[in-house]
Amino acid sequence: AAERIAALDVLALGYGTLAAELGVADRFSLLGVGVLALFVGVAMLSSRLVRPLVRLVGIPARRIGGAAGKIAERNAQRSPGRTAATAAALMIGIALVTFISVLANGLRVSNSDAIERQIQSDVIVTSQDGYTAFPSAVGEVVGDLAGVETVSNVRQDIAQIQGDGVSLTGLDDDVSEVYDFRWEQGSDQVLAELGSDGALLPGNVADDRNLAVGDTFTVRTPSDETKDFVVRGIYEGSPFYPLLGSASISQEAFDDLYDRPRNRFTLLNAAEGETLSTADVGRALQGFPDTRVQTRDGWIEKEDNEIQQFLLLLYVLLALSVIISLFGMVNTLALSVFERTRELGMLRAVGMTRRQTRRMIRHESVITALIGAALGLPLGIFLAALVTGALSQFDIRFALPLGQLIVLSVVAVIAGLLAAITPARRAARLNPLEALQYE
């Protein structure tokens, strides 16, 4: 049965990850079925992995635990089914936390890389939330500041292209100084030649809409203004965090289409040998309270923090699964102590002290927790790699947060120690004579 589930798992995960014709919803449905089968399959196969894993994770118990540690290791190996069942809940909890940690780190790295690759300016002016547009007059105000060499205003508003609602961007002639265009067709010279009807498209948008250089498309604004534009250039877009819209036109053409043109970004470069202070820019924009002034590094840090705050709730919820697994370990260890009452009494009778008894139960609990971590960490990493691969079209990177994974391993050890407190106390308090008579 375990082999059949594993086969189903491989089939669903492989097709859901590699099939090119699947939509996002169908892809994630298959991944969901595959992940469920993966958890079930690993849980069923884990009893076969217990003995080799115990020999590996039981090394500290053998080295520092003395006789009690060696007995604990053998106890974990003696009943692999029970040990695997005890570790299963912790395995699932750690796998989920690992999955979210790796995926979140990939999102953070992808976000930072996307901004670093696109924006080349020293200072960025955005709205307070970073997403909505702000008055275009901001660009005129900061353009008069001393020490400013380049000011580029990136306009943005909603529009309709080929029946779909998208973001339309208006670019000025200086945008190549602050934005890194990686051209698939065209060059920076195209920016100065857009005129009243030229447009630029990211490569992924051009592919999705089957548009090439020389093709024409129609733009419709919310005020029902329509105009035809000719594709003059195609650049390599950023699917993960595109800072420019689905189409970009000249700023003059943009201002003709919209009655109240607004900026999405105002990007500033300092003159050579000059230092451009965000405080100075902020003071100049006191009349625009909805704006936020940041350095390039500060903006990247802010975006990282927002991702971390968004994922914090998931971390809290997943931490509950680890806490619940502790109760499962406590119950199983307590039951194990009851079942081995006579055995414990015999060990006490031949000279094992109460301290050694407690140590034995603790080592056994830590070994069980480490088995859960040894299974959960690779499982979570594997799931994160699958999801990252399924979302490769959005340019999401796979990046391991080594520090967080080490912390999770330490958490597993602490979980084992906490789970052993009550069972270890009961085992140490057993009366050897009464325990030998227990049936």
Side-chain angles (χ1 to χ4, degrees), residues 39 41 66 71 73 103 151 194 247 341 369 390 398:
F39 278 122
I71 294 174
E73 181 192 14
L103 189 60
V151 177
L194 289 177
T341 297
F398 177 77

Side-chain angles (χ1 to χ4, degrees), residues 119-233:
I119 296 298
Q120 305 299 317
S121 66
D122 300 322
V123 174
I124 298 98
V125 181
T126 67
S127 61
Q128 285 292 339
D129 62 14
Y131 304 103
T132 57
F134 53 90
S136 58
V138 166
E140 301 172 8
V141 173
V142 297
D144 297 332
L145 287 175
V148 175
E149 180 179 28
T150 304
V151 177
S152 179
N153 296 295
V154 178
R155 309 254 207 266
Q156 193 161 300
D157 212 322
I158 60 173
Q160 193 177 71
I161 296 176
Q162 293 183 336
D164 297 326
V166 298
S167 294
L168 183 67
T169 304
L171 305 177
D172 57 27
D173 294 342
D174 295 323
V175 68
S176 61
E177 301 294 326
V178 292
Y179 186 92
D180 181 18
F181 285 94
R182 300 185 180 183
W183 296 100
E184 295 181 6
Q185 298 180 57
S187 65
D188 287 349
Q189 185 178 352
V190 173
L191 296 167
E193 299 172 351
L194 289 177
S196 61
D197 63 349
L200 307 177
L201 298 179
N204 59 313
V205 174
D207 292 339
D208 291 342
R209 299 183 180 279
N210 198 27
L211 292 171
V213 172
D215 290 346
T216 300
F217 62 91
T218 302
V219 169
R220 183 185 298 274
T221 69
S223 60
D224 205 27
E225 294 281 342
T226 60
K227 188 171 183 178
D228 291 337
F229 287 89
V230 179
V231 180
R232 298 278 170 79

